Amino acid sequence: MRVEPIRWRDGTLSLLDQTLLPTQTLRREYRDYRQVARAIETMVVRGAPAIGVTAAYGVALAARELSEAGATDWRPGLDAAIRTLAATRPTAVNLFWALERMGAAADRLRGETAATAAAALAAEAEAIRAADVAANRRLGAHGAALLPDPCTVLTHCNAGALATAGYGTALGVVRAAKESGKRVRVVADETRPLLQGARLTAWELAEDDIDVTLISDNMAGYRLQRGGVDAVVVGADRVAANGDAANKIGTYPLAVLAREHGVPFYIAAPLSTVDFATASGAGIPIEQRDHREVTHLAGQRVAPQGISVWNPAFDVTPAALITAIVTEAGVARAPYGAALAALRDAAQAAESVR
Amino acid sequence: MRVEPIRWRDGTLSLLDQTLLPTQTLRREYRDYRQVARAIETMVVRGAPAIGVTAAYGVALAARELSEAGATDWRPGLDAAIRTLAATRPTAVNLFWALERMGAAADRLRGETAATAAAALAAEAEAIRAADVAANRRLGAHGAALLPDPCTVLTHCNAGALATAGYGTALGVVRAAKESGKRVRVVADETRPLLQGARLTAWELAEDDIDVTLISDNMAGYRLQRGGVDAVVVGADRVAANGDAANKIGTYPLAVLAREHGVPFYIAAPLSTVDFATASGAGIPIEQRDHREVTHLAGQRVAPQGISVWNPAFDVTPAALITAIVTEAGVARAPYGAALAALRDAAQAAESVR
């Protein structure tokens, strides 16, 4: 895998600017957590797991800043940074999960100097990053086993290496299928309005020499209708305790169409994406984004002035339309409430044994 | 209605260039049928009824050219022009319907001079144009009666004044509802890849002070899921004898989603769009268009090089998903084979009485 969306070296966070792909490959460097928050908001980095990892590094940068400023009581400043990072995007739960994990690490560092805390929090962020890649590889292997050989996978948005610390969730399943020797082709929705499918998924699959066909979102129905698609595999930004899954806008119609045509619909997401505190999809906040994302393309206005625009960034697919949820701990099937809790408990038990 | 997409004056065809809307309002003038054919191919004019009317004027321009060249046997030249115009776009049946009607008029002019034929064929094209507007007004009234008050209509692509000689089919229904005193709002899919919803539907509705909210195509599922949409109303490029309807790519998924949410799904199309010679949707040719429409936006590349693209311009909605087909002669409901034939026969009987 040649794609490294998030890199940490010598106390500097480096992000591959995903707003410029595929025409420009530019890395941006961050030493200020406020700039990291802005990078999450403006989608320099996006994808639920990648947002979580990036926010964790943002906390590490805040800790270093407090240490360099000679703070003795570093915790209030750290909490302010955590609040700033938490206010960037509302839907992806991995953001809150990662910030909570950093907060818990800070709790364990009570009484330590700011310098000690900064070093320990950087190590914690690095552990979150490494765990994400490892989880995606396990998730990919579980998902790959569900695919026939040869197979054509339809995906939406980018749940790839770029959406994670590496390897990807939905595209991790594709990569694992290829690594296991299966012949796998991908049909990628371009994913309006920000075109993550065209810009990111097509790009990272082409980089990995995986066969990809780009379509606009509204072609997926016809593609499923004419046959030849073996599975729909997408990521998630938040999975409720009952299995309802929020993902990039346009995911829900794919689930309805997949059922219409008897094609399995899989969610690929690490357990950090499952929000056990939210009972159902009705409790997941849906981010509304700037109207300009719809009215302008490549900086040019494509819609008349003075009209209304509705631009929700996500929709929620009801659990009933989901064939299975693939996690790093195994494959959950309905009823999801029990299945997801069992996977979580098994993962925690395995963790405590280590 | 301020929008006049197709105008004929003193032997010159004038088209509003729909590729430039909404940022530029530019009319192009045509005196050569070959340029008219090119305008249809490149979608300076688009929309099934508008393509038919434009092609009819193209035949009239060819007749005038033959007359000015002093042709005595004008028919072979006219047939060559008809073949050129017929080869522009394969899916919209109104193109072939209008060209057949012009050919039949030419048959009746056998033995006449080229000058007489040119005048008569210009009059025939003008009659087709006027009949289209009149049909849309009757169609609109039939469709408006199906809508509640107040109502929100979801539409796709542009089946408006710009897609016809004027008034529109799906948007004719909206206009007629408004004229009848109903409070009507429109949710418009932007309609990738060529953005006819954003560029044309939003523009012409805003020009007519009709409330319009723009969404990207993949938001329609969530919009229907959350409720508040009373009907989906779209046009058609060809309706088969059994009621299967080809329309802009992305229409079929809307029909599946409308049924999922108990929302009626209406096709609004004049009888000239019904192809009684094609038994079902399986017989409708689907145009594939240039990959650049998907890989580039506003002239800028948005997808990586070296990937595959699939760019069908239309899909087919099975009759079973269509609540009703609204025509100028009345509203057809399933079984469509008998209902559409009955409307055609009634319209022909009314025509012969006149």
Side-chain angles (χ1 to χ4, degrees):
Chain A
M1 183 62 211
R2 299 160 212 173
V3 179
E4 204 181 2
I6 306 164
R7 189 191 294 158
W8 175 262
R9 199 164 293 165
D10 302 329
T12 298
L13 176 65
S14 160
L15 298 176
L16 182 60
D17 187 341
Q18 301 193 27
T19 68
L20 302 177
L21 288 172
T23 45
Q24 281 186 66
T25 309
L26 179 79
R27 300 200 73 90
R28 296 189 185 279
E29 301 210 325
Y30 298 88
R31 296 176 66 83
D32 181 337
Y33 77 87
R34 300 164 198 84
Q35 299 300 323
V36 173
R38 184 81 189 128
I40 294 172
E41 273 170 5
T42 58
M43 299 175 68
V44 167
V45 63
R46 27 64 53 201
I51 289 171
V53 171
T54 301
Y57 282 121
V59 175
L61 288 174
R64 215 233 349 251
E65 180 180 315
L66 289 159
S67 168
E68 287 174 356
T72 48
D73 185 8
W74 48 270
R75 188 58 194 262
L78 198 79
D79 285 340
I82 288 174
R83 284 194 297 274
T84 297
L85 289 160
T88 50
R89 299 196 66 195
T91 303
V93 79
N94 311 60
L95 172 64
F96 310 108
W97 172 89
L99 292 173
E100 268 174 37
R101 183 163 156 179
M102 295 300 285
D107 290 345
R108 294 193 298 274
L109 293 160
R110 186 175 305 196
E112 301 287 352
T113 65
T116 301
L121 288 170
E124 184 73 6
E126 183 61 18
I128 290 176
R129 189 202 61 74
D132 184 60
V133 177
N136 291 340
R137 289 194 169 269
R138 293 200 300 278
L139 183 162
H142 289 303
L146 300 172
L147 299 179
D149 176 30
C151 68
T152 297
V153 169
L154 177 71
T155 192
H156 188 69
C157 197
N158 174 265
L162 290 167
T164 62
Y167 201 71
T169 53
L171 299 190
V173 171
V174 168
R175 288 197 168 91
K178 187 188 176 201
E179 289 167 12
S180 76
K182 289 181 179 172
R183 290 153 295 174
V184 57
R185 304 163 68 112
V186 175
V187 176
D189 279 359
E190 65 174 7
T191 317
R192 281 282 289 148
L194 294 181
L195 299 169
Q196 293 93 335
R199 296 191 303 102
L200 309 180
T201 292
W203 180 77
E204 68 164 89
L205 291 176
E207 289 281 305
D208 270 10
D209 293 321
I210 294 171
D211 185 301
V212 56
T213 299
L214 179 66
I215 61 174
S216 60
D217 303 303
N218 59 19
M219 296 170 189
Y222 181 23
R223 191 77 183 199
L224 287 160
Q225 184 190 43
R226 75 203 277 270
V229 174
D230 301 290
V232 177
V233 185
V234 297
D237 291 79
R238 190 185 303 209
V239 176
N242 73 341
D244 292 350
N247 190 44
K248 179 55 54 193
I249 189 73
T251 300
Y252 164 65
L254 292 181
V256 173
L257 288 160
R259 187 197 49 191
E260 179 79 5
H261 296 289
V263 173
F265 179 89
Y266 299 119
I267 295 281
L271 285 169
S272 59
T273 301
V274 182
D275 177 10
F276 289 97
T278 296
S280 78
I284 301 177
I286 300 296
E287 178 182 6
Q288 294 280 338
R289 292 184 61 87
D290 191 332
H291 290 183
R292 273 182 68 96
E293 291 181 353
V294 177
T295 57
H296 289 65
L297 279 179
Q300 292 188 32
R301 172 170 280 279
V302 293
Q305 301 200 331
I307 60 167
S308 302
V309 174
W310 188 58
N311 184 19
F314 304 95
D315 59 25
V316 175
T317 299
L321 294 175
I322 300 170
T323 308
I325 299 174
V326 184
T327 78
E328 73 275 31
V331 176
R333 294 185 186 267
Y336 289 104
L340 291 169
L343 289 177
R344 173 196 57 188
D345 295 345
Q348 286 174 347
E351 190 68 29
S352 65
V353 168
R354 259 174 224 156
Chain B
M1 183 63 212
R2 296 160 214 174
V3 179
E4 203 181 1
I6 306 166
R7 189 191 294 157
W8 174 262
R9 200 164 289 167
D10 303 329
T12 299
L13 176 66
S14 160
L15 299 176
L16 182 60
D17 188 341
Q18 301 192 27
T19 68
L20 302 177
L21 288 171
T23 45
Q24 281 187 65
T25 308
L26 178 79
R27 300 199 74 89
R28 297 189 185 278
E29 302 210 324
Y30 299 87
R31 296 176 66 83
D32 181 335
Y33 76 87
R34 300 164 197 84
Q35 299 298 323
V36 173
R38 184 81 190 129
I40 294 171
E41 275 171 5
T42 58
M43 298 175 70
V44 167
V45 62
R46 29 62 56 201
I51 289 171
V53 170
T54 301
Y57 282 122
V59 175
L61 288 173
R64 212 229 356 248
E65 182 180 312
L66 290 160
S67 168
E68 287 175 356
T72 47
D73 183 10
W74 49 269
R75 189 57 196 263
L78 198 79
D79 285 341
I82 289 175
R83 283 193 297 274
T84 297
L85 289 159
T88 50
R89 296 196 67 194
T91 303
V93 79
N94 312 59
L95 171 65
F96 309 109
W97 172 89
L99 291 174
E100 267 174 37
R101 184 163 155 179
M102 294 301 283
D107 291 344
R108 294 193 298 273
L109 293 161
R110 186 175 305 196
E112 301 286 352
T113 65
T116 301
L121 290 170
E124 184 73 8
E126 183 60 19
I128 290 175
R129 188 202 62 75
D132 185 61
V133 178
N136 291 341
R137 289 196 168 269
R138 295 200 299 279
L139 183 163
H142 289 304
L146 301 173
L147 299 179
D149 177 29
C151 68
T152 297
V153 169
L154 176 71
T155 193
H156 188 69
C157 195
N158 173 266
L162 290 168
T164 63
Y167 202 70
T169 52
L171 299 191
V173 170
V174 168
R175 289 196 168 92
K178 188 188 176 201
E179 288 167 14
S180 76
K182 288 181 178 171
R183 290 153 293 174
V184 56
R185 305 165 67 113
V186 175
V187 176
D189 278 359
E190 64 173 8
T191 317
R192 281 281 290 149
L194 294 181
L195 299 169
Q196 293 94 335
R199 297 190 302 105
L200 308 179
T201 293
W203 180 76
E204 67 164 271
L205 291 175
E207 289 281 304
D208 270 11
D209 293 320
I210 295 171
D211 185 301
V212 57
T213 299
L214 179 65
I215 61 174
S216 59
D217 304 303
N218 59 21
M219 295 168 189
Y222 181 23
R223 191 76 183 199
L224 286 160
Q225 184 190 44
R226 74 203 277 270
V229 174
D230 300 290
V232 177
V233 186
V234 297
D237 291 79
R238 190 185 304 208
V239 177
N242 73 340
D244 292 350
N247 190 46
K248 179 55 53 193
I249 188 74
T251 300
Y252 163 65
L254 292 179
V256 173
L257 289 160
R259 187 197 50 193
E260 178 79 4
H261 295 289
V263 173
F265 178 89
Y266 299 120
I267 295 282
L271 285 170
S272 59
T273 302
V274 183
D275 177 9
F276 290 97
T278 296
S280 78
I284 301 177
I286 300 296
E287 178 181 5
Q288 294 280 337
R289 292 185 61 87
D290 191 333
H291 291 181
R292 272 183 70 95
E293 291 181 356
V294 177
T295 56
H296 289 66
L297 280 177
Q300 291 188 31
R301 171 170 282 279
V302 293
Q305 301 201 332
I307 60 166
S308 303
V309 174
W310 188 58
N311 183 19
F314 305 95
D315 59 25
V316 175
T317 299
L321 294 174
I322 300 171
T323 309
I325 299 175
V326 184
T327 78
E328 72 275 31
V331 176
R333 292 185 187 268
Y336 288 104
L340 291 169
L343 289 177
R344 173 196 57 186
D345 295 345
Q348 286 175 347
E351 189 67 29
S352 65
V353 168
R354 261 173 222 156

